[in-house]
Amino acid sequence: ISCRIYDINALLPNQCRLFQGDINLHGTIVSSSFTNSRVGSVQYSASLYSNYGQSCTANTIENRYLVCGSDLTWTCPPNTYWNSLTLMCSPQSPILGSTCQQNMSMCREDLNYTCLRFNQCGRMYIETPARSIPIFVISALKVLEGTTIVDGNTVVAKSATIGLSGPTSILVNKTADNAIIVVDSAYGQVISFHDDVSNISNVTLVAKNWTGGNMFNTPYTAFIHPSQKSVLYVSDYYGHCIYKIDNMQVVSPVPKVVAGVEGSSGSTANKLNCPYGIAVDSAGNLYVADSQNHRVMRYAANATSGVRIAGTGTAGSDSLSLNRPYGMYLDEENSYIYVVDALNGRIQRFSLSGGSPNNGTTVAGGNGGGRGNNQLYFPFDICLTKNKRTMYIADAGNNRIVRWNIGEKSGVNIAGDVNGNSGSSASMLNYPYSMGLNDEETFLYVVDNANKRIIRFQLI
C-alpha cells in the first residue's frame, strides 16, 4: 500500500517493480533481479478509483490510487489529477506548450500489451492485438509555481544593504550542505545562504570590498572550483576581468585577477571585453565567455593570456560564430562546452577536443527569436542535469524557463507565462537571468532579476 514509484507485481505477490517514468526526473532505471519482472507494464481501470469523492477518515490507510484529502474525502494522490473522461486519476500531463504528437507509438515486447500509441492527438492507448484500451487523456498542465526564498527584504549578514537589488547569477555549491551562491550585480556583492526548504538561514555576505578599498565594478557570474569547493571565481562585467577568491573570503589573501586586465577592455589574448559566463575544469583551466568580443577563451592555470576556443571574435550567426555569448555549461566528462549565444537566440555546443576554434552545433533554438517551442529570445543562462540529457534554459526575453532534452527539436515551457508576459506571481517571471539545480535535482533555483528575488521550483 505504500508503493508510489513502485507497483506490486500482480503475478508474483509481494514483489515491487518500477513502472515507466521520465528518467530525467526520476533517476536511473534499475534492472530487476527477477527475470519475470517487467518495467512499465501497469494497467489501470476505473474500478480502482470507485471511492473517489466519497468520505474518509483522517486515520484511513491510504492506497496507491487514492488518498484521504484535507476535506476528508478520497482524492487523487500528488502529481495526478482527476480525469472525468476516464473516471481515474491520471498522471500529470505534458507541460502546457509542448508539441501535440499525432500517431506516435512506443512498442515493446510483452505477453499481452504491445504498444503505447497516440491514436489521436492527446489520447493515449495501450494497444493489444485484439483491442485498444484508453489510458488517459492529455490535458494542459499549468506551469510550475515557485516559492520566493530570498528577495529585496531579506537581511544579509555583514552587508550594509538589505536584500537583493539586481541579482544576475546563482550556483549551488554541491557539497553536503548545498550552499547557494548569488551574485547581486546592482549591489556589487556576492552572498551565500543555505536552503533547507522550510527555512532560509545564514544569508551572509561573501565578497564586496577588500583591503585598500578595492571592490568589484559590476560582478555578474560566479563559479566554484570543481575540486576546491572553497575557491570562488567571479566575472566582473564592466571591470573586464575575472577574480579568484580563496577560502570564500576577501581578507587574506585578497581576491586576485586571473584573467583579463582589471579596468581595461580589449580584444588581445590577455584582455577581455565584458566577460560573462565562466567555468573551471578539474585541471584548473579557466573558460570565459568574452561577450562583447564574441568569443570563448580558455586560460591555462596561472596563465596571463588565453586561447580562443569558440567564436571568431566578430559577431556572426554561422556555426563558427557567436553573437554575445553569455552563460556557459562545461561538460568536462564528454569534452563539450555549451554556450548561450544570446543575440542569435540559440544554444551552441562546442567540442573541446577539436581544433581551435571549431564549429558549433545548435542544440536548442536557432530558429529566429520568438516564443515558439523551438525558439528562444535573448537567453541568458543554461544548466544541464547530471546525466547530460536535459538542459534548463533561462529564456530571459520570453520571461520563462525552458526544459529542452538533448537531441530534440523543441523544448517545454516549465516556468513563466506561456505568452511571454512578465509578472511577479508565483507562476510568473520577469527577466530570469540564471538557474541552478540542487545536487538531488529536485529543486531548480531561478534568479528572477527584475523581481529582485530568488525563486525555487520543485521539479519532483
Side-chain angles (χ1 to χ4, degrees), residues 164-177:
L164 300 176
S165 179
T168 48
S169 78
I170 189 169
L171 64 93
V172 180
N173 191 0
K174 296 181 179 179
T175 56
D177 61 359

Side-chain angles (χ1 to χ4, degrees), residues 31-45:
S31 299
S32 172
S33 58
F34 297 95
T35 57
N36 54 1
S37 180
R38 297 184 184 83
V39 176
S41 54
V42 178
Q43 182 180 3
Y44 297 98
S45 65

Side-chain angles (χ1 to χ4, degrees), residues 228-405:
Q228 303 171 37
K229 296 296 186 178
S230 64
V231 176
L232 183 71
Y233 296 80
V234 178
S235 69
D236 196 329
Y237 192 75
Y238 289 119
H240 309 295
C241 64
I242 310 299
Y243 289 99
K244 179 184 177 184
I245 301 172
D246 290 301
N247 303 318
M248 289 286 190
Q249 53 79 40
V250 294
V251 178
S252 179
V254 297
K256 175 185 177 182
V257 173
V258 292
V261 176
E262 187 176 18
S264 177
S265 64
S267 58
T268 56
N270 69 325
K271 287 193 172 184
L272 300 168
N273 190 357
C274 296
Y276 197 93
I278 50 179
V280 179
D281 65 22
S282 57
N285 295 305
L286 171 66
Y287 300 81
V288 182
D290 190 11
S291 71
Q292 294 203 31
N293 282 325
H294 313 290
R295 65 186 182 179
V296 175
M297 301 292 285
R298 177 170 59 203
Y299 291 77
N302 302 316
T304 57
S305 294
V307 175
R308 179 163 48 91
I309 63 168
T312 62
T314 302
S317 58
D318 59 17
S319 61
L320 278 174
S321 302
L322 297 167
N323 193 349
R324 292 291 181 90
Y326 279 169
M328 293 192 309
Y329 182 90
L330 177 63
D331 177 8
E332 187 176 0
E333 179 183 0
N334 296 302
S335 293
Y336 287 133
I337 192 163
Y338 292 79
V339 181
V340 177
D341 192 10
L343 291 188
N344 284 324
R346 64 185 182 180
I347 308 299
Q348 294 292 93
R349 184 178 68 193
F350 295 89
S351 172
L352 296 176
S353 57
S356 179
N358 54 41
N359 286 295
T361 300
T362 301
V363 293
N367 296 299
R371 66 173 66 105
N373 289 343
N374 68 338
Q375 294 177 303
L376 300 170
Y377 182 56
F378 214 48
F380 262 58
D381 196 16
I382 179 179
C383 65
L384 269 69
T385 54
K386 286 185 286 190
N387 63 17
K388 308 300 189 296
R389 295 174 179 171
T390 299
M391 301 174 285
Y392 289 93
I393 303 168
D395 193 15
N398 281 321
N399 301 301
R400 66 182 182 180
I401 302 298
V402 176
R403 185 179 67 207
W404 200 305
N405 292 332

Side-chain angles (χ1 to χ4, degrees), residues 100-118:
C100 189
Q101 302 177 74
Q102 300 251 19
N103 299 321
M104 174 174 279
S105 63
M106 178 174 63
C107 304
R108 62 178 182 273
E109 293 183 359
D110 201 305
L111 293 177
N112 299 306
Y113 302 102
T114 52
C115 290
L116 290 174
R117 183 179 301 277
F118 286 91

